[in-house]
Structures are given as structure tokens and as C-alpha cells.
Amino acid sequence: MDVLETDLTGVLQFRPSPHRDDRGFFSRTYDDAVAERWGIVRADFVQDSQSRSKHGVLRGLHGRSHGGEGKIIRCAHGSAFVAIVDARPESPTLGRHVTLTLDDEDMASVYVPRRMLVGFQVTGEVADMCYSIDRTHAPDEAIAVRYDDPELAITWPMPPTELSDRDKNAPSWADLLHSLDIDPARR
């Protein structure tokens, strides 16, 4: 399994080496020894979740207040364009983002440290996204930022076919910074 660093400190992509033959494939999707070399301990993750979305659906940008939550994300079926925004107040890359594709061909996963925002858009017919999370879900701590916030300037693959009411009405990046008491000059 290869590990690729991204432009956001701590955001890592894990790229397995699937074994394929006429029957199909076999792939390791997580390896403790590899993850621990990067400071990630599987025992720290307390909850696994899965979502299924149709082509063009966009979910996000979502995060969590009160220290955030670390997560490992992979696409078990289909394909999705993923955007990760640095929302760590002390980070030199605050407000910057990285994008990548997760799909069932490469079988890569991405580790997202705490206090990041994540969104994805389904680029295949359907996408089953799997999440391992290091804190129990707490709906009252959910935060969101508009996927199309001009200050973040994320280039999504297509206009969204569907958005939740939460995502349609999400506040701006500037509003989030204000709510977190982050100096606008740091943007």
C-alpha cells in the first residue's frame, strides 16, 4: 500500500495494490502497520458509516465543531470527486483545499484529520461512500459551508443534480470563520 501526501498537511491518500484475475479482485482496504507509520491508529476510530448517492448528487461541505472529527473515507462502489477544505484555525493552509477522486477501480482511501470540511459529488452512476470516524456522531455539532462559496473556489465536475436543504442553505466560508472567531485577515 502506497501513501501519498497532499498539499494539506495531514491529509493522506492510501493507495492499495488490488490483485485482479478472471474471478474479480482482492484488495486490502486498510493496513494498521502502514497507517501507524503516519500516526493513525485504527483503534481510535469508533464508528463506521456508509452512504449511497446517485449521479450528480453533491454532499457537503460538512464538518464538525468542538474539535472536529478525523475520518478515513473510501468509495466502495462507483466513483466520487472529493473536496477537502482546511478549517484548522492554526493552519498555514487555512481556507485552501485539495480535490481527488475515490472510486472502486483504484480503491484508494483518504485520511482527513480533525477540523477539516469534506464534500463529494458522485461522478459515476452511483457511489457508496464508507467512513470510519474517530468520534461518535453528534448532530448538534454539525457544521456546513456552501459547496459553491466563491472564496473557496472549488471547481466541481458538474452542476449538482440534487442538494439537501442543509447544503442549499449552508452559510458562507466567511460566516464559518466568523463563528469560529478566526481573524478574516488569515484567509
Side-chain angles (χ1 to χ4, degrees), residues 55-59 121 147-148 156-163:
H55 178 79
V57 166
L58 196 147
R59 296 180 184 255
Q121 184 171 38
Y147 74 96
D148 60 352
W156 297 93
M158 66 194 88
T161 57
E162 290 186 50
L163 290 167

mmCIF file of all heavy atoms in Angstrom, residues 55-59 121 147-148 156-163:
data_model
loop_
_atom_site.group_PDB
_atom_site.id
_atom_site.type_symbol
_atom_site.label_atom_id
_atom_site.label_comp_id
_atom_site.label_asym_id
_atom_site.label_seq_id
_atom_site.Cartn_x
_atom_site.Cartn_y
_atom_site.Cartn_z
ATOM 1 N N HIS A 55 -25.857 9.676 -9.320
ATOM 2 C CA HIS A 55 -25.050 10.518 -10.210
ATOM 3 C C HIS A 55 -25.392 11.998 -10.037
ATOM 4 O O HIS A 55 -26.548 12.379 -10.036
ATOM 5 C CB HIS A 55 -25.275 10.110 -11.668
ATOM 6 C CG HIS A 55 -24.513 10.969 -12.630
ATOM 7 N ND1 HIS A 55 -23.178 10.800 -12.865
ATOM 8 C CD2 HIS A 55 -24.899 12.021 -13.390
ATOM 9 C CE1 HIS A 55 -22.770 11.697 -13.738
ATOM 10 N NE2 HIS A 55 -23.793 12.449 -14.066
ATOM 11 N N GLY A 56 -24.365 12.807 -9.871
ATOM 12 C CA GLY A 56 -24.524 14.251 -9.796
ATOM 13 C C GLY A 56 -24.852 14.790 -8.415
ATOM 14 O O GLY A 56 -24.756 15.995 -8.186
ATOM 15 N N VAL A 57 -25.257 13.926 -7.485
ATOM 16 C CA VAL A 57 -25.564 14.382 -6.135
ATOM 17 C C VAL A 57 -24.298 14.960 -5.512
ATOM 18 O O VAL A 57 -23.207 14.416 -5.664
ATOM 19 C CB VAL A 57 -26.118 13.217 -5.278
ATOM 20 C CG1 VAL A 57 -26.127 13.582 -3.792
ATOM 21 C CG2 VAL A 57 -27.506 12.826 -5.741
ATOM 22 N N LEU A 58 -24.463 16.083 -4.835
ATOM 23 C CA LEU A 58 -23.352 16.716 -4.132
ATOM 24 C C LEU A 58 -23.712 16.780 -2.653
ATOM 25 O O LEU A 58 -24.807 17.222 -2.303
ATOM 26 C CB LEU A 58 -23.099 18.114 -4.691
ATOM 27 C CG LEU A 58 -21.756 18.724 -4.312
ATOM 28 C CD1 LEU A 58 -21.263 19.613 -5.442
ATOM 29 C CD2 LEU A 58 -21.800 19.490 -3.025
ATOM 30 N N ARG A 59 -22.814 16.313 -1.810
ATOM 31 C CA ARG A 59 -22.984 16.369 -0.358
ATOM 32 C C ARG A 59 -21.827 17.172 0.221
ATOM 33 O O ARG A 59 -20.671 16.849 -0.007
ATOM 34 C CB ARG A 59 -22.995 14.965 0.251
ATOM 35 C CG ARG A 59 -24.175 14.111 -0.197
ATOM 36 C CD ARG A 59 -24.086 12.740 0.468
ATOM 37 N NE ARG A 59 -25.110 11.836 0.024
ATOM 38 C CZ ARG A 59 -26.186 11.491 0.731
ATOM 39 N NH1 ARG A 59 -26.370 12.005 1.933
ATOM 40 N NH2 ARG A 59 -27.063 10.643 0.259
ATOM 41 N N GLN A 121 -19.001 14.807 -4.790
ATOM 42 C CA GLN A 121 -20.008 14.743 -5.836
ATOM 43 C C GLN A 121 -19.838 13.431 -6.583
ATOM 44 O O GLN A 121 -18.724 13.055 -6.962
ATOM 45 C CB GLN A 121 -19.889 15.912 -6.808
ATOM 46 C CG GLN A 121 -21.011 15.891 -7.838
ATOM 47 C CD GLN A 121 -21.064 17.124 -8.694
ATOM 48 O OE1 GLN A 121 -20.021 17.675 -9.074
ATOM 49 N NE2 GLN A 121 -22.259 17.567 -9.006
ATOM 50 N N TYR A 147 -21.074 24.691 -0.810
ATOM 51 C CA TYR A 147 -20.174 23.986 -1.734
ATOM 52 C C TYR A 147 -19.627 24.925 -2.803
ATOM 53 O O TYR A 147 -18.537 24.725 -3.328
ATOM 54 C CB TYR A 147 -20.903 22.803 -2.394
ATOM 55 C CG TYR A 147 -21.886 23.232 -3.448
ATOM 56 C CD1 TYR A 147 -21.527 23.256 -4.787
ATOM 57 C CD2 TYR A 147 -23.172 23.655 -3.108
ATOM 58 C CE1 TYR A 147 -22.416 23.673 -5.763
ATOM 59 C CE2 TYR A 147 -24.061 24.066 -4.072
ATOM 60 C CZ TYR A 147 -23.687 24.082 -5.387
ATOM 61 O OH TYR A 147 -24.565 24.516 -6.346
ATOM 62 N N ASP A 148 -20.402 25.963 -3.135
ATOM 63 C CA ASP A 148 -20.015 26.875 -4.218
ATOM 64 C C ASP A 148 -19.547 28.233 -3.713
ATOM 65 O O ASP A 148 -19.587 29.221 -4.445
ATOM 66 C CB ASP A 148 -21.175 27.044 -5.201
ATOM 67 C CG ASP A 148 -22.436 27.620 -4.556
ATOM 68 O OD1 ASP A 148 -22.483 27.762 -3.303
ATOM 69 O OD2 ASP A 148 -23.389 27.925 -5.291
ATOM 70 N N TRP A 156 -16.140 22.048 -9.121
ATOM 71 C CA TRP A 156 -16.823 20.752 -9.102
ATOM 72 C C TRP A 156 -16.961 20.230 -10.519
ATOM 73 O O TRP A 156 -16.976 21.010 -11.477
ATOM 74 C CB TRP A 156 -18.182 20.905 -8.424
ATOM 75 C CG TRP A 156 -18.060 21.314 -6.983
ATOM 76 C CD1 TRP A 156 -18.080 22.589 -6.481
ATOM 77 C CD2 TRP A 156 -17.829 20.453 -5.870
ATOM 78 N NE1 TRP A 156 -17.894 22.559 -5.120
ATOM 79 C CE2 TRP A 156 -17.741 21.262 -4.714
ATOM 80 C CE3 TRP A 156 -17.705 19.078 -5.731
ATOM 81 C CZ2 TRP A 156 -17.528 20.741 -3.448
ATOM 82 C CZ3 TRP A 156 -17.507 18.554 -4.457
ATOM 83 C CH2 TRP A 156 -17.414 19.379 -3.339
ATOM 84 N N PRO A 157 -17.080 18.923 -10.706
ATOM 85 C CA PRO A 157 -17.127 18.348 -12.051
ATOM 86 C C PRO A 157 -18.341 18.756 -12.884
ATOM 87 O O PRO A 157 -18.280 18.805 -14.102
ATOM 88 C CB PRO A 157 -17.156 16.833 -11.815
ATOM 89 C CG PRO A 157 -16.791 16.620 -10.407
ATOM 90 C CD PRO A 157 -17.026 17.890 -9.674
ATOM 91 N N MET A 158 -19.461 19.058 -12.198
ATOM 92 C CA MET A 158 -20.706 19.380 -12.915
ATOM 93 C C MET A 158 -21.623 20.121 -11.956
ATOM 94 O O MET A 158 -21.415 20.072 -10.744
ATOM 95 C CB MET A 158 -21.377 18.087 -13.401
ATOM 96 C CG MET A 158 -21.864 17.204 -12.264
ATOM 97 S SD MET A 158 -22.308 15.525 -12.724
ATOM 98 C CE MET A 158 -20.723 14.695 -12.556
ATOM 99 N N PRO A 159 -22.657 20.777 -12.484
ATOM 100 C CA PRO A 159 -23.656 21.345 -11.570
ATOM 101 C C PRO A 159 -24.326 20.197 -10.805
ATOM 102 O O PRO A 159 -24.562 19.130 -11.375
ATOM 103 C CB PRO A 159 -24.662 22.030 -12.503
ATOM 104 C CG PRO A 159 -23.930 22.232 -13.797
ATOM 105 C CD PRO A 159 -22.935 21.100 -13.883
ATOM 106 N N PRO A 160 -24.617 20.390 -9.512
ATOM 107 C CA PRO A 160 -25.238 19.305 -8.754
ATOM 108 C C PRO A 160 -26.645 18.989 -9.262
ATOM 109 O O PRO A 160 -27.386 19.900 -9.623
ATOM 110 C CB PRO A 160 -25.278 19.831 -7.326
ATOM 111 C CG PRO A 160 -25.056 21.293 -7.407
ATOM 112 C CD PRO A 160 -24.364 21.565 -8.701
ATOM 113 N N THR A 161 -26.975 17.702 -9.287
ATOM 114 C CA THR A 161 -28.323 17.294 -9.673
ATOM 115 C C THR A 161 -29.265 17.369 -8.477
ATOM 116 O O THR A 161 -30.465 17.576 -8.655
ATOM 117 C CB THR A 161 -28.342 15.858 -10.230
ATOM 118 O OG1 THR A 161 -27.794 14.981 -9.243
ATOM 119 C CG2 THR A 161 -27.549 15.766 -11.525
ATOM 120 N N GLU A 162 -28.723 17.169 -7.283
ATOM 121 C CA GLU A 162 -29.517 17.265 -6.059
ATOM 122 C C GLU A 162 -28.637 17.746 -4.922
ATOM 123 O O GLU A 162 -27.465 17.394 -4.842
ATOM 124 C CB GLU A 162 -30.098 15.899 -5.672
ATOM 125 C CG GLU A 162 -31.188 15.412 -6.599
ATOM 126 C CD GLU A 162 -31.830 14.134 -6.089
ATOM 127 O OE1 GLU A 162 -32.211 14.093 -4.898
ATOM 128 O OE2 GLU A 162 -31.926 13.193 -6.884
ATOM 129 N N LEU A 163 -29.257 18.556 -4.058
ATOM 130 C CA LEU A 163 -28.626 19.039 -2.831
ATOM 131 C C LEU A 163 -29.643 18.912 -1.706
ATOM 132 O O LEU A 163 -30.839 19.119 -1.927
ATOM 133 C CB LEU A 163 -28.246 20.516 -2.939
ATOM 134 C CG LEU A 163 -27.123 20.930 -3.863
ATOM 135 C CD1 LEU A 163 -27.133 22.438 -4.067
ATOM 136 C CD2 LEU A 163 -25.790 20.508 -3.270
#
